[in-house]
Amino acid sequence: MGKVWVVAEQREGKLKKVTFEMVTLARQIGGEVEGVVIGKDVKGLASELGEYGVGKVYVADHPDLEQYTTAKYTRVLAELINKEKPEVVLIANSAQGRDFAPRTAQRVGAGQVSDITGYEEGVFVRPIYAGKAYTKVGATSHPLIVTVRPNVFSAAEKTGGQAAIEEVAVSFMPEDLKAIVKEVVKQVSGRPELTEADIIVSGGRGMKGPENFKLLEDLADVLGAAVGASRAAVDAGWREHRYQVGQTGKTVSPSLYIAVGISGAIQHLAGMGSSKVIVAINKDPEANIFKVADYGIVGDLFEIVPLLTEEFKKLLKS
Amino acid sequence: MKLVVLLKQTFDTEAKIVLKDGKIDDSGVTLIINPYDEFAVEEALRIKEKLGQGEVVVVSAGSDRAQEALRQALAMGADRAVLVKTDGLQLDEMVVAEVLAKVLQQMEYDLILAGWRAIDDSSAQVGVRVAEILGLPQINLVTKLEVGEGKITGHREIEGGTEVVEVPLPALVTAQRGLNEPRYPSMKGIMQAKKKELKVINAADLGVNATPKVEIKEIFLPKGKQAGKIFTDEPAVAVAKLVKALREEAKVI
Ligand SMILES: Cc1cc2nc3c(=O)[nH]c(=O)nc-3n(C[C@H](O)[C@H](O)[C@H](O)COP(=O)(O)OP(=O)(O)OC[C@H]3O[C@@H](n4cnc5c(N)ncnc54)[C@H](O)[C@@H]3O)c2cc1C
């Protein structure tokens, strides 16, 4: 195995957790683990990666890279791949990674394995048909681009160490600068992002109305959790689309997923089936969600959820 | 305005997955338009309706059976359709993109729309790869689209927010849920669809020389899950037991 690259994902000068998860995967793959950091004023992040045992880090630091665009990231990464010839390039399967990974793959003539959830001796494991089946995919040529589902691999621990830092010359073509980011609207929420959250509390049609999501928000606040929703709750207009979990919503893999008043339709399971521990709260003992739940309570959510919030409060305070 | 929609036929979302000789068996499975591609078709129709002129062409790479999906898009209101038959070809996402791009190069387009992923293989690559081959700017995961003079503006979903991106035309956008609610074909639409052009091309005749870069070594079904612990005690007791189990057994709290 030659070089295995971890393309760091950073936001506002901080490395995202998925970056460290990719370091873990890169070590499993073997070979020389190297990092790539792209952005503006990001040299500090490169040395940070070194503390996690990454031997060498390529840094593309340029004022024009402050704002992400597909074309700029593709330009930088594709040129670097062509020059340095890594064997495997790991990119986060985030909104950003999903956007420039296939573009880069196409430019360098590489195959891509998307949204992987496992690795076994040279092959990458990924769900297809919304988790109803899995495939093991291997490369027939290199480089290979791999996008990695967040929250699946454990984050690498600090090992100490210092990375050799190589600065990469960055220059753009006129067509790289044609896309203009007019505005970035941030959701102001103290809660974690669904796809990154360690704990998710999700509500369905059983919540009966938008006002009752307050119950789930209270629970989420105690747990530091994100709040998701089923499509029924979204279609009813109780939550925004961006919070929908499922086949036509977000794919999540938290360590704990609490499904409240959700029946567990196949399309919902498609988005949360890879959660490590699933808890269901539903008044219908026959609900499908109990078939995938590790723990469940059969009962009225309006009674159970406030009690649950209180119980967690007690536990987490003590 | 010339609008082209890339469309894939996929398994119905309820379909049960059965393996036969190590492959996914599609016999007896209901097939549908990939739901994200349906958003793309709907958006193209709305753009045409809003501008009061233009053409919507739907293009699919797949087997003969994909004609059903194309006919359905025609019934929704698309003007004509192209099927590129890929039977017998060794495919991966790159090869499919090369095939589609080859067909698109023979067409006129101002805007190409696609779903951001197909719900079967969920690779989320083909649309973006096509944009790269054709040298078009892209806006991925669009939840709102505005067409301007020689440019488009897309609202795209990012973690923790929305990004508003403007690119010049021609361009490619991929659709995300939230963009619109796809219409159902009307009776009149279904009747008209029968008379619309559906051109069938063999991918083998297109002269694509890309070869697959990845290979599926194995397909397997997930292990069935063990039955979980269901607490049926009175609420306060059940809740206490659950929290205890999450802390001491599952160790997730
Ligand atoms: C193409 C397609 C794509 C789809 N994509 C998605 C998707 O991405 N995500 C998704 O979620 N769905 C999706 N669906 C929809 C899916 O099939 C279901 O309709 C949906 O998930 C149902 O949502 P629900 O479980 O909240 O509602 P319901 O099925 O109505 O279930 C509500 C549940 O709440 C329980 N309940 C009611 N009151 C109480 C109470 N007081 N206390 C406790 N429990 C209570 C009921 O017992 C019931 O089990 C899709 C469907 C299609 C056709």
Side-chain angles (χ1 to χ4, degrees):
Chain A
M1 181 59 66
K3 301 178 196 175
V4 179
W5 279 9
V6 172
V7 180
E9 177 143 329
Q10 56 96 8
R11 202 69 47 77
E12 280 153 13
K14 270 189 70 177
L15 291 171
K16 293 270 202 166
K17 188 164 132 250
V18 64
T19 303
F20 304 110
E21 294 165 5
M22 291 192 287
V23 171
T24 301
L25 171 61
R27 288 211 194 110
Q28 275 177 39
I29 297 171
E32 266 171 83
V33 179
E34 299 186 339
V36 179
V37 179
I38 303 173
K40 177 179 172 249
D41 301 328
V42 286
K43 284 183 201 116
L45 298 181
S47 22
E48 193 184 335
L49 265 185
E51 294 168 32
Y52 290 81
V54 177
K56 182 175 184 179
V57 182
Y58 301 89
V59 186
D61 200 323
H62 192 279
D64 276 349
L65 286 167
E66 180 169 21
Q67 172 64 56
Y68 167 84
T69 67
T70 325
K72 288 187 284 184
Y73 267 51
T74 304
R75 172 72 57 204
V76 170
L77 188 59
E79 281 181 5
L80 200 57
I81 290 173
N82 283 336
K83 184 159 165 262
E84 302 291 340
K85 312 229 176 316
E87 213 158 305
V88 177
V89 179
L90 305 178
I91 299 174
N93 194 59
S94 58
Q96 194 171 89
R98 279 198 294 258
D99 188 53
F100 73 91
R103 187 114 197 173
T104 305
Q106 188 63 37
R107 191 167 299 178
V108 302
Q112 177 179 319
V113 194
S114 306
D115 198 20
I116 67 136
T117 57
Y119 174 79
E120 287 169 20
E121 294 159 38
V123 293
F124 294 91
V125 183
R126 61 183 303 266
I128 54 170
Y129 293 90
K132 286 187 259 181
Y134 282 78
T135 54
K136 292 183 182 172
V137 189
T140 56
S141 82
H142 291 282
L144 176 71
I145 304 232
V146 176
T147 68
V148 182
R149 182 177 293 186
N151 272 347
V152 174
F153 297 90
S154 54
E157 305 278 336
K158 261 192 196 174
T159 55
Q162 221 175 349
I165 306 232
E166 185 167 320
E167 287 186 38
V168 178
V170 176
S171 64
F172 296 110
M173 308 286 250
E175 67 263 29
D176 299 336
L177 304 169
K178 276 187 187 160
I180 302 162
V181 178
K182 310 213 76 151
E183 201 185 345
V184 178
V185 190
K186 288 210 186 85
Q187 295 292 112
V188 266
S189 158
R191 294 200 187 85
E193 185 56 34
L194 259 189
T195 48
E196 295 164 5
D198 203 37
I199 303 179
I200 296 173
V201 180
S202 262
R205 204 195 313 264
M207 295 307 297
K208 302 277 185 331
E211 64 288 353
N212 296 326
F213 269 83
K214 176 81 174 54
L215 293 175
L216 300 189
E217 284 165 2
D218 290 344
L219 175 58
D221 287 342
V222 173
L223 296 172
V227 179
S230 74
R231 175 155 173 180
V234 170
D235 281 350
W238 304 342
R239 304 302 276 182
E240 283 179 56
H241 286 126
R242 62 169 62 243
Y243 299 116
Q244 182 183 316
V245 173
Q247 191 149 28
T248 45
K250 295 272 151 48
T251 306
V252 297
S253 36
S255 37
L256 175 60
Y257 187 89
I258 307 180
V260 184
I262 293 178
S263 61
I266 190 98
Q267 297 92 349
H268 189 78
L269 304 184
M272 46 64 84
S274 65
S275 305
K276 281 164 210 107
V277 174
I278 297 169
V279 170
I281 297 167
N282 199 302
K283 66 178 182 191
D284 172 10
E286 301 298 318
N288 214 30
I289 191 81
F290 286 121
K291 297 208 182 97
V292 299
D294 300 280
Y295 300 98
I297 296 182
V298 178
D300 186 345
L301 72 92
F302 294 98
E303 210 175 331
I304 308 282
V305 175
L307 287 171
L308 199 54
T309 306
E310 283 315 307
E311 192 71 21
F312 278 127
K313 237 189 226 165
K314 268 197 280 177
L315 176 79
L316 296 172
K317 264 200 200 137
S318 61
Chain B
M1 183 149 184
K2 303 274 185 198
L3 300 137
V4 179
V5 182
L6 306 179
L7 180 154
K8 183 179 186 182
Q9 189 180 41
T10 56
F11 277 32
D12 182 83
T13 52
E14 298 277 351
K16 191 169 180 307
I17 301 299
V18 177
L19 291 187
K20 200 174 147 191
D21 305 325
K23 294 220 164 63
I24 293 193
D25 185 11
D26 66 355
S27 53
V29 174
T30 310
L31 301 179
I32 58 168
I33 298 179
N34 173 41
Y36 292 102
D37 302 348
E38 227 175 355
F39 300 133
V41 174
E42 177 64 34
E43 196 64 16
L45 295 173
R46 287 189 191 189
I47 293 169
K48 181 186 158 185
E49 284 159 6
K50 197 162 169 211
L51 298 174
Q53 51 91 18
E55 187 189 33
V56 176
V57 187
V58 280
V59 180
S60 184
S63 70
D64 240 335
R65 212 175 148 187
Q67 291 196 32
E68 303 161 7
L70 290 170
R71 283 278 172 224
Q72 196 189 332
L74 292 174
M76 287 170 76
D79 297 291
R80 57 187 181 90
V82 180
L83 170 66
V84 198
K85 284 206 321 193
T86 51
D87 308 76
L89 281 194
Q90 289 276 30
L91 299 172
D92 70 351
E93 294 82 355
M94 179 194 272
V95 179
V96 172
E98 295 277 3
V99 163
L100 288 168
K102 212 34 151 213
V103 174
L104 287 159
Q105 273 158 354
Q106 299 164 2
M107 296 170 62
E108 285 177 68
Y109 52 78
D110 299 296
L111 180 61
I112 301 172
L113 298 109
W116 81 267
R117 67 171 175 191
I119 60 164
D120 48 10
D121 62 34
S122 210
S123 290
Q125 296 181 35
V126 170
V128 170
R129 282 182 182 268
V130 166
E132 170 64 19
I133 301 168
L134 298 176
L136 303 177
Q138 74 193 47
I139 315 180
N140 210 356
L141 285 150
V142 166
T143 52
K144 188 175 167 195
L145 195 62
E146 290 147 18
V147 178
E149 199 57 52
K151 63 181 186 192
I152 47 160
T153 308
H155 293 234
R156 68 179 223 98
E157 219 179 275
I158 54 171
E159 276 94 16
T162 310
E163 204 172 75
V164 185
V165 184
E166 179 189 293
V167 297
L169 291 172
L172 183 142
V173 304
T174 71
Q176 162 70 318
R177 180 164 144 77
L179 183 58
N180 55 46
E181 276 309 322
R183 69 194 66 186
Y184 290 104
S186 64
M187 207 49 199
K188 192 170 151 225
I190 294 167
M191 295 311 290
Q192 283 171 343
K194 292 186 179 142
K195 293 191 212 105
K196 289 179 181 169
E197 180 190 298
L198 197 168
K199 191 166 146 193
V200 181
I201 308 174
N202 276 317
D205 300 335
L206 287 170
V208 169
N209 48 24
T211 50
K213 302 286 188 284
V214 293
E215 180 180 38
I216 293 179
K217 308 268 191 195
E218 190 187 330
I219 302 180
F220 62 98
L221 301 181
K223 283 195 225 87
K225 245 188 131 159
Q226 277 190 345
K229 270 190 197 161
I230 310 296
F231 303 107
T232 48
D233 320 66
E234 61 143 305
V237 177
V239 163
K241 283 186 180 169
L242 171 64
V243 171
K244 190 167 186 284
L246 289 176
R247 161 140 286 187
E248 289 168 15
E249 233 174 61
K251 299 192 167 68
V252 284
I253 294 292

